[in-house]
Amino acid sequence: MKILNKYLLKEVTGNVLMVMLALIAMFSFFDLIQELEALGKGNYGLGKILLFVLLSAPGHIYDVMPVAVLVGCMYSLGQFARYSELVVLRVSGLSIFNIAVLLLKIGLMFTFVTFLVGEFVTPFSEKMAQRMRIKATDSVVAQEFRSGLWVKDGNSFINVEEVLPDATLLNIHIYEFDQNSKLVKARNAKGGQFVNDHWKLTEVSETSFGKDSVQVNQFAEARWISLIRPELLNVLLVSPEKMSAWNLYSYINHLSINKQKTTRYKVALWSKMIYPLACMVMVVLALPFGFIQQRATGASTKIFVGIMLGVMYQILNRVFSHLGLLNDWPPLFSAITPTILFLMAGLTMLYYVERR
């Protein structure tokens, strides 16, 4: 059994990595073509474009891993069937269930790799790539409206005209209201940087509104205590789907405290927890194809079918995420349904093959 484990690990892992490298190369090529449109903007030269493509690669690893596992397993099982190795395994006393357990161990390994890449590598590399691109093209991080970015923090509304890649804020306007929604103070600052546990504002103009008077003060520097942290601004650089689970959780808490809608980020958080498990589901889905029409279908057919199933899984993930947002479905339901559907399809085909 130990020899069989090593053999399956070598063959399946090698094929999965081969498929994954091919898919990453394809997506990186598309990134390169897209980024060439910005060539020459600011100091965004070819070297920085290639660096951007390289830093974007971990995100593609996370995205294509389940598809690579599916196609790699289908190809490996197709090769085993072609040379009658599956028949030998069955004759030697191994059931489909036993073979599935051996392959699921490999799937579990890729599940851990997917989780580690998605949680620790992708958020960092994606943030670095976006910061480098924004700085090189002399752009700003985000401007959701013409007036800039608006954020609610307790009883205050904050307007930031520009957010730089290093989380420096420019042209900040802070409007503080009392419990009766009456404006009590307005502060305007030229810039702001996060230092230790607070924001350090520069060139501050503060207007206080009393019952019968208005007082205006000028400060070279001022201290601003806020729940807003540079980590929360990562959502402006990295899409929710590529943020780490911890940053998503922190941002969801911030939105909840300020009574803002959190559905999109909750769906992204649940997807972060469930998506790596898709690697094991893809192993279950791939296994029946090793026994169905073993000699009638070639390797190219199995690869094509595997890619189509992988694309279908990605499409279903996107569709259920958007439908969940539109119809306000429970985030867990939106995130887990495509994986459950593919798992049921794989188990149904396994049952059919076993009964046959």
Side-chain angles (χ1 to χ4, degrees):
M1 187 64 71
K2 187 178 293 186
I3 295 176
L4 179 60
N5 275 329
K6 289 183 178 179
Y7 178 68
L8 289 177
L9 178 64
K10 176 185 174 182
E11 293 297 320
V12 176
T13 302
N15 289 325
V16 170
L17 292 177
M18 178 181 65
V19 173
M20 184 180 68
L21 288 174
L23 291 174
I24 292 171
M26 180 180 68
F27 283 113
S28 295
F29 176 73
F30 292 153
D31 285 345
L32 178 62
I33 296 299
Q34 182 177 351
E35 291 303 309
L36 285 175
E37 296 179 2
L39 181 64
K41 185 178 180 181
N43 61 344
Y44 195 47
L46 183 60
K48 291 188 176 179
I49 287 178
L50 294 175
L51 179 59
F52 177 86
V53 172
L54 180 63
L55 290 171
S56 300
H60 295 316
I61 293 175
Y62 179 79
D63 291 334
V64 307
M65 187 69 80
V67 180
V69 170
L70 174 62
V71 178
C73 284
M74 288 182 65
Y75 178 78
S76 299
L77 291 168
Q79 293 300 101
F80 295 156
R82 180 181 179 184
Y83 296 106
S84 302
E85 291 172 296
L86 286 179
V87 175
V88 172
L89 292 176
R90 295 295 299 275
V91 171
S92 63
L94 287 177
S95 65
I96 293 181
F97 176 78
N98 297 135
I99 299 173
V101 170
L102 295 175
L103 291 175
L104 282 172
K105 292 179 181 178
I106 301 173
L108 183 61
M109 177 186 70
F110 283 108
T111 294
F112 280 117
V113 172
T114 305
F115 177 79
L116 292 175
V117 170
E119 185 65 18
F120 299 106
V121 182
T122 298
F124 176 77
S125 65
E126 193 74 16
K127 183 169 63 177
M128 291 292 294
Q130 294 299 332
R131 282 183 174 176
M132 183 271 295
R133 187 184 191 281
I134 291 168
K135 186 176 291 187
T137 55
D138 298 324
S139 304
V140 297
V141 173
Q143 284 185 305
E144 295 188 354
F145 302 100
R146 288 185 179 181
S147 56
L149 174 71
W150 285 88
V151 182
K152 185 176 184 292
D153 182 15
N155 291 328
S156 300
F157 288 87
I158 299 99
N159 170 227
V160 182
E161 293 186 20
E162 294 184 9
V163 182
L164 299 183
D166 60 355
T168 297
L169 310 181
L170 299 180
N171 299 321
I172 308 158
H173 312 287
I174 305 168
Y175 305 96
E176 297 181 18
F177 294 81
D178 61 16
Q179 297 299 327
N180 299 318
S181 300
K182 181 180 178 181
L183 181 64
V184 295
K185 187 180 293 184
R187 278 187 285 181
N188 299 303
K190 189 70 174 178
Q193 287 187 323
F194 194 77
V195 180
N196 297 327
D197 60 346
H198 67 277
W199 290 93
K200 180 181 177 181
L201 304 181
T202 57
E203 299 183 37
V204 182
S205 172
E206 182 178 283
T207 305
S208 299
F209 300 92
K211 288 184 178 181
D212 302 315
S213 63
V214 176
Q215 184 177 357
V216 180
N217 296 307
Q218 303 287 337
F219 305 97
E221 292 184 356
R223 179 187 176 100
W224 175 39
I225 304 295
S226 173
L227 292 176
I228 298 172
R229 294 290 187 271
E231 293 77 16
L232 295 179
L233 297 176
N234 285 341
V235 71
L236 304 178
L237 287 168
V238 183
S239 64
E241 292 74 20
K242 292 185 178 180
M243 291 172 64
S244 68
W246 175 251
N247 282 343
L248 278 171
Y249 179 75
S250 300
Y251 193 66
I252 289 170
N253 280 341
H254 172 78
L255 294 178
S256 298
I257 290 171
N258 290 283
K259 299 180 181 180
Q260 294 177 275
K261 197 171 182 62
T262 60
T263 306
R264 182 188 178 191
Y265 302 97
K266 285 184 176 179
V267 171
L269 178 60
W270 279 111
S271 296
K272 291 287 292 187
M273 307 307 295
I274 293 167
Y275 188 76
L277 297 175
C279 293
M280 298 183 68
V281 173
M282 293 306 175
V283 170
V284 175
L285 187 64
L287 188 57
F289 288 91
F291 298 94
I292 298 174
Q293 297 181 343
Q294 294 181 0
R295 297 184 181 277
T297 56
S300 58
T301 303
K302 292 182 184 295
I303 292 175
F304 176 77
V305 172
I307 291 175
M308 290 299 100
L309 287 173
V311 170
M312 188 182 301
Y313 177 75
Q314 296 290 351
I315 291 174
L316 279 178
N317 264 328
R318 298 288 179 87
V319 167
F320 272 87
S321 293
H322 290 301
L323 287 177
L325 293 175
L326 289 173
N327 300 304
D328 206 22
W329 290 345
L332 177 59
F333 175 80
S334 301
I336 202 172
T337 299
T339 303
I340 293 295
L341 290 176
F342 269 64
L343 177 61
M344 291 174 61
L347 292 175
T348 301
M349 287 191 290
L350 274 177
Y351 176 77
Y352 165 77
V353 170
E354 185 69 25
R355 288 290 300 273
R356 191 184 64 171

